Amino acid sequence: MAAPGTTEPEPASTGPELLTVEVNRVRIPGGSLRVALVAGSVALVLAVCTAVLLVVRLAGGGGLGAAAPVVAPAGPVTSAASVPEGDSPSEPPYRCRIERIDGRWYAGNSRTRNAVLAHGHAGQEVAEVQCLLRRAGISPGGIDGIFGPLTERAVRQLQERAGLVVDGIVGPHTWKALRR
């Protein structure tokens, strides 16, 4: 016990220490904790936004990152001012001009026989595939030069019919089947 008139020192606290921030020489209890919570909340919001954008980007690209990037059509480009009245400026000018040259079918968009095309690609080669699929009696949807789900399904049908590996990807063997 302490002597009269003196105070006994208080025992040390064993609980958690209160974090404080000093603002204008006034200590605000829990200030550092607030700063940490705000910083953590901002980081969490940024992480969630990044995850959402990544999921949307991957879903829009045709799968979980396996699709090739979309390539702009290599065909003739027209501006809105040069499109005849009544035509849509958003439709690429792909036409199917089917002809047989040296025993192989061509549609007038590309002469390739070995380009590798898959879901997500776009351009003249894709329009060539679509025209040749239509010539073979398999509908790829519209002849728009975009390798979408309808074109992929049509490629799979052709591959199955030709006894090829059914993967929905146009490679040298599928080109050979399309051109014969």
Side-chain angles (χ1 to χ4, degrees), residues 6-138:
T6 62
T7 59
E8 190 173 302
E10 292 187 27
S13 171
T14 58
E17 181 180 337
L18 258 185
L19 300 176
T20 61
V21 172
E22 189 173 321
V23 178
N24 295 333
R25 299 194 185 261
V26 176
R27 295 178 71 88
I28 302 171
S32 293
L33 183 59
R34 284 188 204 129
V35 170
L37 287 174
V38 169
S41 298
V42 169
L44 179 64
V45 167
L46 288 174
V48 168
C49 288
T50 301
V52 167
L53 287 174
L54 185 60
V55 167
V56 167
R57 172 84 189 244
L58 291 176
L64 296 176
V70 174
V71 180
V77 177
T78 58
S79 67
S82 66
V83 175
E85 193 174 316
D87 288 349
S88 170
S90 64
E91 292 181 26
Y94 298 118
R95 304 285 186 261
C96 296
R97 295 176 297 278
I98 304 292
E99 60 182 328
R100 194 160 175 91
I101 302 171
D102 296 328
R104 293 187 182 94
W105 290 105
Y106 293 91
N109 293 302
S110 174
R111 310 248 324 145
T112 188
R113 292 189 291 174
N114 58 6
V116 177
L117 302 171
H119 190 276
H121 280 111
Q124 290 175 258
E125 289 82 12
V126 176
E128 182 80 5
V129 168
Q130 291 170 331
C131 289
L132 293 174
L133 285 165
R134 185 172 283 172
R135 187 206 68 79
I138 303 170

